[in-house]
Amino acid sequence: MLTDRQLLILQVIIDDFIESAHPVGSRAISKKDEISYSAATIRNVMADLEEMGYIEKTHSSSGRIPSEKGYRYYVDHVIAPSVDKTNLNIIKGMLQGEFIDFEKLVQKSAEVLSDLTNYTSIILGPEIFETRVKQMQIVPLSENTAVAILITDSGHVEHHSFSIPNEISASDLEKMVNILNERLKGVSLAKLPELLNTEVVSLMKKYVQDFEKSYHYLKSAFSEQPVKLYIGGRTNLLTQPEFNDINKIRSFYRMMENEDEVVNLLKVPQQGIRVTIGRENELEAIQDFSLITASYQLRDEQMGTIALIGPTRMEYRKVITLLNALSNEMTDVLYLWYKNNSK
């Protein structure tokens, strides 16, 4: 553990570097109101902190910057969530009112979060293991086309257009819809493929004339799982001085274009806030970044993940406060929405 003196100097260095993005020297530290030590004492403490790996020297300045180890200590032992009533009121106001469209609300949340922090925000929609079928429909658009509609209990609507072979009649389509809603209502999306292959196909054999062709089209229409990503502030990181070198950030934007990679990054079972800093991130594309995530949930089940990605010089106190607030508000709103829509 650090001494009180070492802890104070480390906190001043990190707070100053987060604000300015410039290395911090002993002279600048000695001018702080909360510092009563001489410049010589400060230099000795900084030398100790550097030897222990909490700060490091840059090539272009005699000042010091926090190391990843220093940021980790700062997050784990120094900061406490702050209360910024203006930002918290923005989040509360955004989520108040009648909750009709879950998808629009989550997209708006991602945008507001990125605006409040100037980082890139990512919100992972409800996980397929907790999301259940509320209703399935097949709506004919013409003699040869129809749209398959899947509505979930989280308010998500997924739709796919497909061609109808001449052999499939309107009455067969109606029977298919009835079978789907009878057998699949309340089923988790993760179990859809299994039930389509077993119970649904056996019923179609009984009641649908050309069941093999009908089943083929039915399965293709409902095969995609609606795990959604909502991203705000894609280009915000370009304004951060750490990323003036385009080569340093190119791999990050390549990762952001790969939805599966981003989903896997965020699909980590968790409770509360999770902070990974720099090389603590297993994914190479974000080893120059910090990633902070929080879950929102329905009762005891995790429904999705809220994340902010920024430089390791991140405003950790502010970000953790905002993510806590948004997680709690989304959990409350989701509970009320589910309660009102499950009657």
Side-chain angles (χ1 to χ4, degrees):
M1 293 291 289
L2 299 179
T3 66
D4 290 343
R5 181 182 297 177
Q6 291 169 338
L7 185 58
L8 178 59
I9 299 298
L10 177 64
Q11 182 174 352
V12 168
I13 291 172
I14 293 178
D15 287 339
D16 203 57
F17 185 65
I18 287 173
E19 183 178 351
S20 69
H22 296 300
V24 184
S26 58
R27 182 176 174 80
I29 296 173
S30 67
K31 293 180 179 180
K32 301 290 183 182
D33 292 338
E34 65 269 36
I35 298 296
S36 58
Y37 308 122
S38 68
T41 298
I42 294 169
R43 284 194 293 273
N44 288 335
V45 173
M46 291 176 70
D48 291 339
L49 290 172
E50 185 176 358
E51 185 177 341
M52 289 185 286
Y54 291 104
I55 60 176
E56 53 195 23
K57 190 181 298 183
T58 66
H59 297 295
S60 58
S61 169
S62 60
R64 302 293 188 275
I65 64 172
S67 65
E68 291 178 9
K69 181 180 178 180
Y71 283 125
R72 171 50 63 194
Y73 195 92
Y74 178 80
V75 168
D76 291 345
H77 301 288
V78 177
I79 64 170
S82 60
V83 178
D84 184 335
K85 290 186 177 180
T86 300
N87 288 340
L88 296 184
N89 287 337
I90 289 173
I91 289 176
K92 285 180 178 290
M94 175 184 67
L95 296 179
Q96 284 177 353
E98 188 176 358
F99 182 20
I100 299 173
D101 190 327
F102 179 84
E103 194 161 347
K104 288 182 180 177
L105 181 134
V106 177
Q107 183 63 60
K108 185 179 179 183
S109 300
E111 292 168 358
V112 169
L113 195 56
S114 65
D115 289 342
L116 291 176
T117 60
N118 206 32
Y119 304 136
T120 296
S121 65
I122 308 172
I123 301 183
L124 181 64
E127 299 285 0
I128 61 172
F129 293 101
E130 286 80 32
T131 305
R132 299 181 181 278
V133 175
K134 183 177 181 180
Q135 188 177 7
M136 302 176 87
Q137 299 174 0
I138 299 176
V139 180
L141 301 177
S142 67
E143 289 186 3
N144 300 109
T145 59
V147 60
I149 302 172
L150 171 65
I151 304 172
T152 73
D153 61 355
S154 67
H156 179 79
V157 178
E158 191 83 7
H159 51 84
H160 301 284
S161 298
F162 64 99
S163 299
I164 306 173
N166 293 329
E167 300 92 319
I168 301 179
S169 66
S171 63
D172 279 347
L173 279 178
E174 185 177 353
K175 289 175 184 176
M176 287 163 60
V177 171
N178 291 336
I179 291 170
L180 291 175
N181 284 305
E182 179 184 345
R183 293 294 178 178
L184 300 179
K185 184 177 180 180
V187 169
S188 72
L189 297 186
K191 294 183 178 178
L192 267 187
E194 177 188 347
L195 292 178
L196 283 172
N197 283 326
T198 55
E199 293 188 24
V200 171
V201 73
S202 64
L203 284 170
M204 287 182 65
K205 285 180 181 179
K206 283 185 180 181
Y207 299 110
V208 179
Q209 288 185 0
D210 193 346
F211 86 91
E212 288 186 356
K213 187 162 288 188
S214 300
Y215 175 71
H216 169 75
Y217 281 88
L218 174 71
K219 189 175 179 181
S220 64
F222 290 112
S223 61
E224 294 187 24
Q225 301 288 5
V227 177
K228 290 288 187 177
L229 281 177
Y230 308 85
I231 300 174
R234 286 178 180 269
T235 61
N236 279 355
L237 293 180
L238 294 175
T239 67
Q240 302 291 338
E242 289 90 339
F243 305 122
N244 288 334
D245 181 357
I246 196 64
N247 291 321
K248 195 172 183 181
I249 203 167
R250 183 179 285 122
S251 60
F252 169 76
Y253 280 104
R254 283 177 180 161
M255 179 201 76
M256 294 295 289
E257 293 300 317
N258 186 336
E259 185 169 301
D260 290 340
E261 198 165 23
V262 179
V263 168
N264 289 333
L265 177 68
L266 302 185
K267 285 180 66 174
V268 179
Q270 67 172 75
Q271 293 291 332
I273 299 290
R274 181 170 180 261
V275 181
T276 52
I277 301 168
R279 284 164 292 185
E280 292 175 358
N281 292 297
E282 294 183 5
L283 202 59
E284 186 176 354
I286 58 169
Q287 288 187 346
D288 289 318
F289 301 79
S290 283
L291 171 68
I292 304 184
T293 61
S295 62
Y296 58 94
Q297 59 191 54
L298 175 62
R299 293 170 301 202
D300 296 328
E301 297 178 346
Q302 179 177 336
M303 295 294 289
T305 305
I306 311 165
L308 274 167
I309 297 180
T312 54
R313 185 187 55 84
M314 181 183 273
E315 294 182 87
Y316 293 98
R317 183 181 286 107
K318 176 181 178 180
V319 168
I320 289 172
T321 300
L322 289 174
L323 285 184
N324 258 325
L326 184 56
S327 170
N328 291 335
E329 289 296 317
M330 287 185 69
T331 295
D332 291 345
V333 170
L334 188 59
Y335 170 78
L336 290 175
W337 179 90
Y338 185 84
K339 184 179 178 182
N340 293 334
N341 287 271
S342 59
K343 295 176 180 178

